[in-house]
Structure formats: C-alpha cells, structure tokens
Amino acid sequence: MRHPYQLYLVVLFHLLFSNASLAQRSNTDTAFYTTAIDNVIQLYADSLNENLRLYNGNEFTGNFPGVPGHPFFEFPQPQKGTVFYDGIRYPNVLLSYDIINDDVIFVDTARNRVIKLISQKVDWFSIQHHLFINVREDSNARNMPARGFYELLYEGAGAVLSKQKKQYEQALKGDETSGFIQWTWYYVRKGATFYAINNKHSLLAVCKDYKSEVAKFIEKENLNFKKDPAIMIIKVMDYYTQLKIK
C-alpha cells in the first residue's frame, strides 16, 4: 500500500504530464486542470493530518480583546484564500494577515487552532481578491524597501506594490480611546529598481521616457494622488505600459 505522499506524487505526475503544456490548453481545460490540482492538494492535506506543512508554525496569540478595531489587513475575520507555503500551494484555506507584525495567520477550524506561518516559507498568498508577495533581500535590487509582504496591485512595465502597516496605540488620557493607526506606502518596481511613490512627481520620475505623455494623461483623467493614490498609480502605470508596447 502506498504512503499518501507517494499517492499524491503519482496523481500529480499524471496531471502534469498526461497532456501538452498548460499554455496550449483551452480555457475549459485550464479550469479543469486547476480544479484537479486543487482537489489533489486537498486530498494530500487531508491524508497527512498532523504532518501537513501548514502546521509548521507557532500558535497565534496576537489578539487585542476589548479594543476597537483589529490588527489585520482589511478583514476582522479570517477569509478564504490561497497560500504557497514551503513549496506547496494550498487553496481554499482560512487566512488572516496581521499587518502589525507582518505575519500570515492560518486558521484550522477542524482542530480549533490558529497558527502563525513561518514568513520565510511563504512565497505568496491571497485573501479574497488581494494578492501578496514576499519581497526578500536581493543584492541586485536598488532602493529596495524593507523586506516583507507587499500587495501586488498591478503588473506591467512596472509592478505596483503597496505596504500596509498598523500600530496599536494605548490611550494616555481618560477622554482618549485606545486603537489602531494604519499607514500605507506605495512602490513601483521597474526592472531591478524600486521607486517610492508619494506624489505625482515621483510617479512621473518612473515614467521619465514618456513624461510629457503621462503628464497629459493625468490631467485628462483628472487623477489626484491625495484623493486616491492607488487608483492613480495603477491607471498611470497601465497607460505607461501601453505606451511602452506600441
């Protein structure tokens, strides 16, 4: 009798190599392929029980009872998502992203456990429609921001990334309320260089080879960095990408 891990490898091998490459398949075939892979991984996860690699972490205890707000990205409760952890993709798992400590939290409802995953083993994860990538140390990168998880907002001639961070602040006076303060930073990664984007001028610097065209586009679309920086950066980089591929 085969060990569950061996069975997983046999089935996965047939899924990967029984047809031509994924790029040559129809959309229907691709959807079937993705679903099949997800099902195999789920079977594998179920068979391993306590040996599942997602359990390679520490128990999460970072709650703030009685405090308004929460330490997580956007959602106060765990959300369905996918994580690529320790070389394996796990779909349809419950995740939270602790943006105080930059930790990915896996919720195991079957065993009533909340586990903080080992950050170095997380390549990427998604929560709802938000995709996060692990930006690691790179000796070839220039102006690299702090390592950690960044949301990938757009990918084209440059990748648009955002970094969100929360901090808990204790009330110092009786009429004040304890709670969380949140910040967001934006970056564009173009080639091996990271650009911090904090206003229109820093965004135009990224697009300097088409600066005049991009400036006219910003004016025409009435884009305002202070009003909605994420939308402005994404729209500008999408337009810039179109200019680059003409």
Side-chain angles (χ1 to χ4, degrees), residues 20-149:
S21 67
L22 181 60
Q24 295 174 330
R25 296 176 184 152
S26 66
N27 290 336
T28 301
D29 289 339
T30 300
F32 172 79
Y33 172 88
T34 302
T35 301
I37 289 292
D38 289 348
N39 289 338
V40 169
I41 292 175
Q42 189 58 57
L43 287 171
Y44 171 58
D46 292 342
S47 69
L48 288 183
N49 294 323
E50 293 298 324
N51 293 321
L52 184 65
R53 293 186 186 180
L54 279 177
Y55 295 112
N56 292 337
N58 301 313
E59 184 178 2
F60 175 74
T61 58
N63 294 317
F64 295 81
V67 176
H70 56 87
F72 306 113
F73 167 80
E74 195 162 320
F75 309 101
Q77 302 299 327
Q79 302 293 310
K80 186 171 287 188
T82 299
V83 59
F84 194 83
Y85 187 68
D86 202 12
I88 294 178
R89 175 176 176 265
Y90 296 94
N92 301 318
V93 291
L94 287 178
L95 301 172
S96 289
Y97 175 31
D98 173 7
I99 59 175
I100 286 184
N101 300 300
D102 203 32
D103 289 324
V104 183
I105 311 303
F106 162 57
V107 179
D108 175 24
T109 55
R111 297 167 183 80
N112 194 29
R113 289 190 291 180
V114 182
I115 298 172
K116 179 176 68 175
L117 299 180
I118 300 171
S119 295
Q120 298 92 318
K121 295 185 177 184
V122 179
D123 286 336
W124 58 265
F125 68 95
S126 65
I127 295 179
Q128 297 287 17
H129 59 283
H130 301 275
L131 173 64
F132 297 85
I133 60 174
N134 195 345
V135 175
R136 298 183 171 95
E137 293 289 347
D138 184 354
S139 59
N140 296 317
R142 294 189 295 270
N143 303 325
M144 185 177 172
R147 63 185 180 181
F149 297 110

Side-chain angles (χ1 to χ4, degrees), residues 95-215:
L95 301 172
S96 289
Y97 175 31
D98 173 7
I99 59 175
I100 286 184
N101 300 300
D102 203 32
D103 289 324
V104 183
I105 311 303
F106 162 57
V107 179
D108 175 24
T109 55
R111 297 167 183 80
N112 194 29
R113 289 190 291 180
V114 182
I115 298 172
K116 179 176 68 175
L117 299 180
I118 300 171
S119 295
Q120 298 92 318
K121 295 185 177 184
V122 179
D123 286 336
W124 58 265
F125 68 95
S126 65
I127 295 179
Q128 297 287 17
H129 59 283
H130 301 275
L131 173 64
F132 297 85
I133 60 174
N134 195 345
V135 175
R136 298 183 171 95
E137 293 289 347
D138 184 354
S139 59
N140 296 317
R142 294 189 295 270
N143 303 325
M144 185 177 172
R147 63 185 180 181
F149 297 110
Y150 289 73
E151 185 176 5
L152 179 61
L153 301 175
Y154 175 82
E155 183 78 73
V160 178
L161 305 169
S162 72
K163 180 66 177 175
Q164 299 197 37
K165 184 77 174 176
K166 280 185 179 181
Q167 178 178 318
Y168 173 71
E169 290 215 345
Q170 179 71 45
L172 300 177
K173 299 179 181 179
D175 58 345
E176 296 178 343
T177 303
S178 300
F180 299 93
I181 298 176
Q182 182 168 332
W183 298 270
T184 304
W185 297 270
Y186 297 95
Y187 302 88
V188 170
R189 183 184 61 202
K190 185 180 175 186
T193 303
F194 287 82
Y195 298 85
I197 309 299
N198 45 43
N199 53 41
K200 181 178 76 172
H201 299 293
S202 57
L203 183 55
L204 286 172
V206 178
C207 313
K208 59 184 178 181
D209 47 339
Y210 287 98
K211 184 175 180 179
S212 60
E213 292 89 337
V214 171

Side-chain angles (χ1 to χ4, degrees), residues 210-211 213-214 217 236 238-246:
Y210 287 98
K211 184 175 180 179
E213 292 89 337
V214 171
F217 173 78
V236 166
D238 184 58
Y239 178 68
Y240 177 69
T241 299
Q242 294 175 45
L243 292 174
K244 294 285 284 185
I245 62 178
K246 283 184 179 179

